[in-house]
Amino acid sequence: MDRIFHALSDGTRREMLKLMAERERTVSELAEPFAMSLAAASKHVKVLEHAGLLHRTVQGRTHHCRLESDTMAQAMKWLKFYERIWTASFDALERELMGGLSEDE
């Protein structure tokens, strides 16, 4: 989980994932919207790959990247668990705050 959230902490990497959600992309295609070098894009790709958020295949000199949706689903499952706790806590707080008010207020 730490690797996933570390990878997601960077806006460039989040945008790269968004691009790959549409279709498989090459590293060059992932670098293009950011006007970054292939070396810089490759570093971002390695972080995403290390986190299990993308799968990279190499054909000749071209690196193709595709989104690993199962890993993103694991992160969402983790967040959903805590969302239930946060929602219950906020609901209890709201009841407590609203309970102190009379209907005239």
Side-chain angles (χ1 to χ4, degrees), residues 10-101:
D10 182 85
T12 299
R13 291 191 289 267
R14 288 192 305 271
E15 190 62 30
M16 287 178 164
L17 290 171
K18 189 175 178 182
L19 291 169
M20 286 184 288
E22 297 169 1
R23 65 177 173 82
E24 184 177 286
R25 305 281 179 153
T26 64
V27 174
S28 296
E29 290 173 320
L30 292 173
E32 188 177 314
F34 307 102
M36 67 173 58
S37 68
L38 288 178
S42 184
K43 287 181 183 181
H44 284 293
V45 166
K46 285 178 184 176
V47 171
L48 292 168
E49 187 175 30
H50 189 63
L53 291 164
L54 72 77
H55 178 74
R56 180 175 18 178
T57 56
V58 181
Q59 295 175 332
R61 294 179 59 183
T62 306
H63 293 233
H64 297 270
C65 303
R66 69 174 162 77
L67 184 65
E68 285 289 346
S69 56
D70 289 346
T71 304
M72 188 65 79
Q74 290 173 4
M76 289 303 298
K77 184 177 177 181
W78 186 88
L79 287 170
K80 290 277 186 200
F81 173 79
Y82 286 98
E83 180 183 38
R84 287 191 305 266
I85 294 169
W86 297 327
T87 300
S89 295
F90 287 133
D91 289 348
L93 176 62
E94 181 179 27
R95 284 191 303 276
E96 186 69 28
L97 293 173
M98 299 305 287
L101 298 176

